[in-house]
Structure formats: C-alpha cells, structure tokens
Amino acid sequence: MDKVLVYVENPSIICPDDIEEYTDPGEDTAVVTWSQPNATDNSGSVNVTSNYQQGSNFVIGSTVVYYNASDPYGNVDSCLFTVTVIDDEPPTILCPDNIDVAPEPGEATVVVNWTQPNATDNSGYVTVTSDYESGTEFSIGSTSIHYNASDPSGNMDSCRFNVTVGDVVNPEIICPGNIEVVTDAGQATAVVTWTSPNATDNSGSVTLSSNYQPGAEFAIGSTIISYNATDPFGNVDSCNFNVTVTDVENPSIICPYDIEEYTGLGEDTAVVTWSQPNATDNSGSVNVTSNYQQGSNFVIGSTVVYYNASDPYGNVDSCLFTVTVIDDEPPTILCPDNIDVAPEPGEATVVVNWTQPNATDNSGYVTVTSDYESGTEFSIGSTSIRYNASDPSGNVDSCQFNLTVQDAEDLVIIIIIICPDAIVVSTDPGLSTALVNWTDPVTNVSSGSVTVTSNYQPGTEFAMGTTIVYYNASDSLGNMDSCNFTVTVIDDEPPTILCPDNIDVAPEPGEATVVVNWTQPYATDNSGYVTVKSDYQSGTEFSIGSTSIHYNASDPSGNVDSCQFNLTVQDAEDAIIIIIIICPDAIEVSTDPGLSTALVNWTDPVTNVSSGSVTVTSNYQPGTEFAMGTTIVYYNASDSLGNMDSCNFTVTVTDDEPPTILCPDNIDVAPEPGEATVVVNWTQPIANDNSGYVTVTSDYESGTEFSIGFTNVNYNASDTSGNMASCHFNVTVTDIQSLSIVCPDDIEVNTDPGEAIALVNWTDPSTAGSSGSVAITSDYQPGTEFAIGTTIVFYNASDFIGNMASCHFNVTVIDDENPSIFCPDDIEANTDPGELATYVNWTQPDATDNSGSVNVTSNHQPGTEFSIGFTLIIYVASDPSGNEVSCHFNLSIIGTAEESTTKSRTTVDTTEEQSTESSSTTMTTEGPTTAIDSTIMTTEELITISTSEGPTTELPTTINTTEKTTTLQPTTINTSDETTTKYETTFSTTQEPTTLTNTTISTTEEPTTLLNTTISTTKEPSTLPNTTISTTVEPTTPQPTTISTTEELTTLPPTTISTTEVPTTLPKSTISTTEEPSTKPETTLSTTEVPTTLPNSTISTTEEPTTKPETTFSTTEVPNTLPNTTIWTTEEPTTKPPTTISTTEEPTTKPPTTISTTEEPTTKPPTTISTTEEPTTKPPTTISTTEEPTTKPPTTISTTEEPTTKPPTTISTTEEPTTKPPTTISTTEEPTTKPPTTISTTEEPTTKPPTTISTTEEPTTKPPTTISTTEEPTTKPPTTISTTDEPTTKPPTTISTTEEPTTKPPTTISTTEEPTTKPQPQ
C-alpha cells in the first residue's frame, strides 16, 4: 500500500509587540512601520498575509493588525498586535479681541455679540465650547470669555477675550494645597482628583478656567495646575498648585544562573559573558547597573555579580549570581641560560649567583622551588639545576639549566645584552602620555653576578615624543655591555569642540543690523593644549540674512575637530512676533564625589527676539544643588505684549559612585597536626558610600572552617543605586605533610588480535601524605591504546598548596601474532620450442600483518628463468617482531618439441642415459607404443595412431608419437585415457643394464611392460588380420612418402599406416604396438633409469614429450616397430633433435627387428591390414578411407564409413569392434570382416590401389606408398614419422638413449617396472 505523507503541523509566526505611534504633524493618521513577522513551517514553504502592511497609514485610535501564515497543505497559524495612533496635537482656536462695552444709560447689563471663534484640528473633528455665547447679557464688570477647542483624543486648545462692562474689580479665587500622589499600580501615571477652587466677584458672576481638570491623568513628576477667575468685566484673578506624582514601584529584574568559566590564556582572569538580565518598570524607563558587565574579566575564584535595576525615581530591584573562574593553566618558568664559570686561581670551587628564574602564572601567585639556590658553592664539573613553579590551583611547570664550573684558565668571559626593537605607541585615551611595557633585556652569564641597570623600567609612563631607553650590563669582573632602543609616543587623538544651537534674531524696528552674542564653544584635548579659531566672534554685528559660523579646534600634533551653527537675522518688519524659548536637553549628572547631591549648571534658555523686552522665569537656576533622582526645571518667557512660551527639561542626578571597601591582608594558616581544616577569623571590612547607605555581603564569613588549599574570599559592597565595589583576600591553609604517589608494576601485554596496538588498563596510583584534595595527572589514562614497544607512563600528583610527587611504570606491548601470506596455485609452464628453460611470472603473494609492516622474502622471484622439471617456490613473511610464516607452490616446467627437425641418423635420446645404435630409430614420448613388423599403433583416446596440428617429415625408419600416456603392466598397455590388456610374452625393462643393437626405442617418465605379441587399447576392441591398421576421423588422400596427422594432412612413405581413436585387438599375426617382440630392421632403442635386457624387438613408450636431437621421434602410449613404415600419432606435436629419443624412469633393450604388441600375439603377413566398422572385402593391396573417394596408385590405402571393396592390401578403420581373420587388424565401433590383406576404415569408402591408405578431413593425393591422416598435411620422406603440431625431420638410422647402456640379445624388449597413468602433457 502506498504511503501518503500528510502535513498536519501548523506554521509558526510571531508578531511584533503592540505599537504606539503619534499622528504625523497636521495629519489625522500616522505612517506606522514594523519588522515583518518571521514565519516558518516544516514543509519549507509558507505564505504570509495580513490585513495591513507595514508602512500603512493608521487612523487615530487602536487598530488590530492580523497576520496569517499558511502552508501549501492548509495548516494555518496567526498572530496579532495592536497599532495605537495617539493624537497629541491640540486643536487651534483664535478668539476675537477684547470687547469693551458699556451698558445703556441706566442699565446694569448689556447684550454683547461677537463672532464665533474658528477652531481647526488635525483629526478633522473639533468641539468648541465656551462659557459664554455671543448675544449674552453681561452685567457691569469684566467677563473673560473662554473658548475651548478639543478633539476626540482629549487634546485641547483655548483662547479667551474679555468683555468688559464698565467693572474693573478683579474676582477672588483660592486654590487647594499642593497634591502628592503615587503612580497607579503598573502605570507611569496617576489619576488625580481635587475640589475645584471657589471664586467670588463683586459682579456676582465669575468664571473659572484651568489647564487641568480634576480626574486628569498626570505623568510622574510635578505639574503646575493654574486656575483663573474672571468676572464679566474682564477682571481676572488666578491661583495655582502643584500635583506631584511620585513613582514608588520598584522595577523587576531576573539574573542568569551561576556560571563556571576557565581562565583565559595567560590571564588570571576569564572573560565571562552572559545574557543581560531583562529589567522592566512601570515607568517604562529602567536603568540597569551591575558591579560587573557581561564580557568583564573575572579573577580566579568565585565572584558574586549583582544587578540593580533602578527607574528614574530611585526605585530599585536587584538580583545576583555567582561567577566561578577555574585556573587550569600551569605557570611558566624560564631558567637562565647555562652558566659557565671558573673559580678563582688556586680554588677548586666557586660560589655562583644567578637571577632567580622568573616564574609567572596567570593567577599572579606562583611558588618556586629548586634543588639549588643562587649563591651555592659548586665544584669543578657540571651540575643540572632544576626549578619547579606551582600556582595555588596546583598547576605545575619546571625548567632546568646546567652550571659548569670550568678551569679558570680555559674560560673566556663575554657579556652580551640585547635590547628589544624600537617601540611606537599612541597616547592612552584622554591622556597626553602612554604607559609602555617591554620585556627586560637578557644577558649571557659571566664569571660573576651580572648587574643590569636602565634609565627607564617597563611600565613607565612616557610623554609625547621620542625617548631613548638605555640598558647597561656589568659583572664583578668588569665585563660590560650595553644597548638601547627608542620609545615614541604619538598623539593621534583629536580635540573635541561643541558649538551652540542655531540663533534666530531680529534687529530693532527701523534697523538693518543687530549685534549678536553667544557663548564661546568649549574645546578640550588630551594634550592639554588646544587652539580654537572661528571666522566670526561673539559680539559681531550681523546684517539681515543667514550666516554659518564655523569653529575649528586643533592640538599641537595637528589633530583637528570642528563644529558649526547658523545665525539668522530676520527683518523685524516681516517677523511674526512669536516668543520661542528652547530649554536645554535633559541633563543627567552624577553625584559630586563623596556627596549624595550634584551641583548642576546649564546655560539659560534663549528666546527669539520679540518686539519688546522678554522676561524669563524659572523654578530652578543654574548652579543649584540637586538631590538624587529626577527634577523638572520649568522656564517661562513673556514679553510686555503678552506673548508667552514655556519649556522644561529634567535634571537627573545619578549615583554612579561605587562604595569603598577595604579587605584585610591575605591570611596564611596551617591546620593542627592530623587535621585537614582550620577555623579562620578576620576583621569585617568597613564599607562607605556617598549616599550614606551601603550593604556588605561576602561568600565567606569570619569564623568559617577552611580546608587545606587556596580560597579566595570576596566582599561586595553595594549602595541603593546599585553601585558596587568589591575586594578580596586569600585564605591559604597550608598542608605541612609530604605527598607521595605509588605507581603500579610494569605491564606486559600482547597486541590485540589483528591490531598493532593493545588496549591496556590498570588501576590509577594511590597517594598518601596530603590531608587535602590531590590532583593526579598523567600522560596516559587506563584504557589507552598502546603501540608495539615500551612506553613510559608518568603520573604527577599535586595538592592545593603545591606539594608534588611523581612516579612512573612501563607498558610493554609485545607482538606475537604471525603475519599471513597466501601463495598462488601451482603453476605449469611450457618452454619455448627447442628450449630447455623458460621465464615464468606470477603475482607476488600478498602478505599482511597486524603491525602494518611485513617483509616478504623468497627463494625465487617472478620473472626468473626456470629449467625443465619441478621447482618448489617458497615465500617467507616476517614482521619487525620476528614472527614468521611461509607458504609455497610448485612450478612445473614442461619441455616443448620443435616444430620440425631433420633426422639424418637413427639416434634415440632418453632422459637419463643414452646409447647409440645404428640402423633405424624409434622415439616414444608421453605415451608408450608397441610396434611389430610393419604395423604401429598409438592412441589418443584408444589405440589410434595419429598425429596432429603440425606436419612432420620423416625418413623411412622413423616413428613419431605424441602426448598421450599409457600405463603398461605385464599384460596391459595403458594408452591415453583408456587401458589395453595384453597377453603372453611380457618384456620387462627394469634395473639391469642392457645393450641394444640395431633397433632402438626411447621411452620417458613411466615404465611400460610389454608382452610378446599383444596390444590392447581402449574404447572398443577390434580384431585385425595380419597387416590391417584401423584409422578414424576424416579420410585423406596421402601421397607417397607423406603421413598426415590429426587436423593437418601428412604425407607418408609407401608403407606408412596411420591409426586413431579406436582400440583394436590384434591376433597373433597382427601388428600391434606393444608387449611382444617383433623383428625390426636395424634400429636402436634407448631407455632410462633402470637398465634391462630385452629380446630382439622390445619397445618402451612414455607420457610426456621431450626434445631430442635430429633423428629423434617420440611415440605415445604403445611403442611399435614397423619395417620400412611410418607411425603417425595425434594431439600435440613435439620437436626433437634428429637422432635422439628421450625416455623416462626405466630403460628397455630391444632386439633389432622384433616388436611385441598387446593382448594376443598375432602373426601378420607382410602386406595385409584389416580395420573395423563394416566388413569389406579388399584386394591384397587396397585400403579404403573416409569422406570422399579418391583414386590412388596401387600403393594407396583408403578408409571409409561404408563397406568398400578393395584389393588385398586395403586397410579400413571403424569405431565399432570387428572380427577379422588372422591377418586382419580390427578397430572400434562396427565390426568388419576383411581378408588377410584388407583394411577397412570409416566414414566414406574410397578405392585405393593395393598399397594406399587415406585418412580424414582433407583428401590428399599420394603415390602408392603414401598414407594421409587428419586435419593438416605434412610432407615426409619415405622414412619419416610426423608428430603433433610441429613437423620434425629425422635422419634414417640414428637413435640415442639415456641413463645406463645395456647389452641385450637381438630380439628382447624390456618395459618399465610399474604401470602409471599420466595426464596429457601441456
């Protein structure tokens, strides 16, 4: 079932906070912007919509802005916020001028009319109210007519005019007393109510007006409430009172959790950061202070961080958390260079002084110990001086140098001192100097102590300019050296200058210019010297228009700052007389040092110039002393024409002066013997603060019990404004007991299986002798992987007071795992034709070892030349630990015969020994064959005598066989793949030397035992008459003197017969290839290994091909001796020298003309051969062959598959066994009966003259004495025998033998000891 992925997770969208915005000037809307909400969704796609876009115009009031976030799958999230547009712009209204009227005579009242005032407002909505309407009847007196214009937001403007009806007496009005209230909960305002004042007037009518009404909302601070009482005649009285709203609600602040941090590199502090606490307050304004700021440097130990949140009205909330700084950085200690000194003449020792190594630690506290101190007396020789530096946190470093006391006569004293490079720095901020540090120069050590002096020390304050610092080094022997470098202090800090605000003035009426004064700008510079220049000076007379006044401030180093303001002189005729008074910006100052107040100065506000004099009043004057908190300063400006304006600003006095607190000195104590703690008392630190209120806290109190080690005691003092100060001192409890550590014994392990490492575990060492906590460090931990070999594991123990101890042990990892190596399979290779050796390559064995390193050696390398025979190739793999493993494989080199050889003599060459005989030669290889009279049978699978692949040329008495092995027992001959059983007279060829004459037969590798006259072959037996040989495969037409082998045609001499594949059983007179002696013409036989005496006609054969000289030829499986005929064998050709026949294992001796064959001895008439398959009657000299009929001269033999009629000398071959008369040879497959001189063969019948034999594949035409065989043709002379694959030419009468010469009677053939079956040679 398919799965459908359904998205059910809503997007996420977060809106901004609610927004308050004021209307744009003169508009009833405000353009409001905000940050677009960020929407996310798990699908990765989200669409955001809103009812309003940021930057839209919003009308006065509150508008809800909605945002919807939707994903492609319908999931929705939304958020909203409110945009409130506040209209704080009052309407404008203009009243008519004052009206003076008089009643009609005798009347006390008068109806007065006026034009209704016109009011406008940015909102477009304005309500105009008045206490009187036009057309009202007024009594005598002055009535103030007030018009109020208000908009829907409550913004108001008013105007008034007086209607005076003859009354000049002012009303009376009394205001309530000043009112003080606190802010409403959670608000920055308070709603204040009061009783309106009561006013009276003689006219009986009075109007009250005020700038605020009871129930109004007042901001924090003091507000003046003014009331005016006006009678109908315009007579006015006024009063006022203050409404003071005090904020007493504390802010809220929450601190982060406690923090642990490690010291910075090389620092006794750590820069610690955290999220700034969030503080809120009802006033909307909150000031957060802390004794430490996030990102501050904190000292080692625990520090309490306080946060105070204060609002402008002195309300405070606080929180705290602890910052713990851990020191894990070891000290650094640098020993002096090696010291070479010499004693005084005649002295053997010398007191040597050196500069104590300077040990530094980021903590600022370091303890240095050494086994020798400066000023020790040393004898002549070399001493290693070691220094250890430890800090209070137990971190340790060490260094050492060598002190050599030489013979004074051999020592040359030279002092060398090297100064640092020139230093260029800028002045410190706000200063005309710079604090410059450098590393003191170092010297080599002379024969005495070295004194280094300088005109300046690191940390000196340098004035601006370049100063040369000199260093001089000298020792007690007067050796000296000096160096110097420059310190250049550059002032790149510009001055600061502040111009006054822009000035607008008007000349007196009728004047075109005015003299304008302003306060000279104040410029400061860190150098203390600053020059101020301007293009205009205060008091300059300016014409009508605008002028830009520039001021430039420069210091002696050329650093410049500038400012400017504009002075505008307006035309008095064109000026609209409006008084404008501008107060200074809000002032924030800190309390004066040591006081809870601040003397505050400011420049009095300036007004534009009116048509008359302007009076400026204020509730505070510059130079007033203000208490901590915020005070509102009011300024009112009015001229004689009734033009008025007012402004105000706040003066906030902040207490940022931290308290002062002084801690006691560091305390060093020791516990009682056997104790690990001690109670420590000290005097409580005294803290002071300018505010008079200070709180002191500490992380430890006097009388606390301290453990052994180093403890940093912190005291914090804070005032009500959150200012903090701290101090600390160290309480060190020293452990006076010594520290010891005991390591485990040395460890020996073997590598992990298949690995070059071992995972080693042990129990951590234990310590003793310290009553405090002990820090144990090591370069290795249990469970570490160790490489082969020995590793030293060090352990160091230190306690808090710097006691140290160390130990070590050895971890030895032994590799006892043998490498692994895999040799290739056994290799068989052939030599090149005619060669006794060949080069052989193979893939180098792959060896691996757990160590990752393995060395491979061998007794032979790939590409080496190897001789014929067997070689054992051995490979040895060894690893660096001496572990060894080996593998081996066999390399067999098999000789390959030459393609063609010419034989001129009849020598037979055997493997181990050889004998030379005259007359004709017989060679056997790879398989034994036995020949009698004129018939030879060899086998490939059965007893077929065939050759293959290469043509061979042979002389009349040469026999050539190939490849197949035969195992012969006393009554059996084994040919390739199948065995043949032979009977009667057996010839043995073993153990005794025999001498061969006349006929020679060579054998190789395996002994064969032949009986008298019988040869049995495999597959199907056939009975052949006297002179019949059966052949197979395809018919070929041979020519005279040519024998063709399998796959290639061969030309055999007139009496040559080729046989293949089909085993045949020969009767007594049959010519078979083994076991019975037969008489042969003069030929030589050579055998191997064990000499034997054979009767006249014995031949032994072998399995593997060998290379022999000219007239050598090899036969397979069963040797045969044939007179004046050629033997043709199959499969693979062998190349042999002319006269050599190689044999193996056991030599056999045969008489000159006798060859015995298998199974039953047969007597064959001189010219008859019979074959199997179908019975055919052939004339005495006819042989039929297969496939295509060919006509040959009288000496041709043809073979067929169908019966043919041939003359008496015909030979037919078949696959089925046939029964033949005494003179017939029968082959396999089909039985055929042939007359004494007939040979029948398979496949296709051919008619041949009496002496012709034809074989398979390709027909060839041969003269009467030619026999042709399969596949590839070869041309041979009348006495030539062809072998497989490659042609060989052999001479007529030479045979060479091997091993030991033996003497044999004329007709004896001996064969080998035990029958063996061997595979076909490569």
Side-chain angles (χ1 to χ4, degrees), residues 509-587:
E511 298 293 332
T513 61
V514 63
V515 175
V516 183
N517 291 287
W518 60 83
T519 303
Q520 181 82 4
Y522 180 64
T524 60
D525 186 65
N526 63 314
S527 68
Y529 301 96
V530 61
T531 301
V532 178
K533 295 181 179 180
S534 176
D535 42 4
Y536 294 95
Q537 299 300 320
S538 177
T540 302
E541 187 175 17
F542 289 86
S543 300
I544 295 172
S546 183
T547 305
S548 180
I549 313 296
H550 291 85
Y551 273 88
N552 292 316
S554 60
D555 64 15
S557 298
N559 301 304
V560 179
D561 189 21
S562 64
C563 67
Q564 69 177 26
F565 64 96
N566 294 324
L567 189 151
T568 303
V569 179
Q570 296 181 353
D571 186 351
E573 302 291 334
D574 299 333
I576 298 174
I577 306 304
I578 298 174
I579 294 178
I580 300 174
I581 185 169
I582 301 174
C583 285
D585 293 333
I587 299 174

Side-chain angles (χ1 to χ4, degrees), residues 84-369:
T84 301
V85 176
I86 301 170
D87 179 15
D88 62 348
E89 186 173 337
T92 59
I93 188 170
L94 183 63
C95 284
D97 294 335
N98 294 332
I99 300 174
D100 292 327
V101 294
E104 292 294 327
E107 298 291 331
T109 61
V110 64
V111 174
V112 182
N113 291 288
W114 59 86
T115 303
Q116 181 83 7
N118 183 31
T120 60
D121 187 66
N122 63 313
S123 69
Y125 300 95
V126 61
T127 301
V128 178
T129 60
S130 177
D131 43 2
Y132 293 93
E133 296 297 329
S134 176
T136 300
E137 186 176 18
F138 291 87
S139 300
I140 293 171
S142 182
T143 302
S144 179
I145 312 299
H146 290 85
Y147 272 87
N148 292 317
S150 61
D151 60 19
S153 299
N155 301 304
M156 298 181 66
D157 191 21
S158 63
C159 66
R160 68 180 181 176
F161 64 96
N162 295 325
V163 174
T164 303
V165 180
D167 184 8
V168 293
V169 177
N170 290 332
E172 290 183 359
I173 187 170
I174 300 173
C175 283
N178 293 333
I179 300 173
E180 291 187 357
V181 295
V182 297
T183 54
D184 297 336
Q187 301 298 318
T189 60
V191 175
V192 184
T193 62
W194 61 88
T195 302
S196 293
N198 185 27
T200 61
D201 187 67
N202 64 329
S203 67
S205 175
V206 63
T207 301
L208 289 178
S209 63
S210 177
N211 55 344
Y212 290 95
Q213 299 302 318
E217 195 173 42
F218 289 83
I220 299 168
S222 183
T223 304
I224 300 174
I225 311 299
S226 298
Y227 271 91
N228 294 318
T230 307
D231 65 15
F233 308 101
N235 299 307
V236 178
D237 189 19
S238 64
C239 68
N240 61 67
F241 63 95
N242 291 328
V243 173
T244 302
V245 178
T246 305
D247 179 15
V248 296
E249 187 173 334
N250 289 333
S252 172
I253 187 169
I254 299 174
C255 282
Y257 295 112
D258 292 345
I259 298 172
E260 282 192 357
E261 188 62 76
Y262 290 92
T263 54
L265 182 63
E267 302 291 335
D268 64 343
T269 59
V271 175
V272 183
T273 60
W274 57 84
S275 297
Q276 188 81 4
N278 183 30
T280 58
D281 187 64
N282 63 310
S283 69
S285 174
V286 60
N287 181 40
V288 178
T289 60
S290 176
N291 57 335
Y292 293 95
Q293 296 303 316
Q294 71 94 16
S296 297
N297 279 306
F298 285 79
V299 298
I300 298 166
S302 294
T303 302
V304 178
V305 177
Y306 294 91
Y307 266 90
N308 289 322
S310 60
D311 61 19
Y313 313 104
N315 303 304
V316 178
D317 188 22
S318 63
C319 64
L320 59 85
F321 61 96
T322 301
V323 173
T324 301
V325 176
I326 301 169
D327 177 17
D328 61 349
E329 184 176 339
T332 58
I333 186 169
L334 182 64
C335 283
D337 294 333
N338 294 334
I339 298 175
D340 292 328
V341 296
E344 294 294 326
E347 298 293 332
T349 61
V350 63
V351 173
V352 182
N353 290 289
W354 58 84
T355 302
Q356 180 84 1
N358 182 24
T360 59
D361 187 65
N362 59 317
S363 69
Y365 301 94
V366 61
T367 302
V368 178
T369 59

Side-chain angles (χ1 to χ4, degrees), residues 625-649:
E625 204 172 65
F626 286 82
M628 290 187 294
T630 300
T631 303
I632 302 175
V633 178
Y634 295 93
Y635 270 87
N636 295 311
S638 61
D639 61 13
S640 58
L641 300 179
N643 298 307
M644 294 185 297
D645 192 25
S646 64
C647 66
N648 64 72
F649 63 96

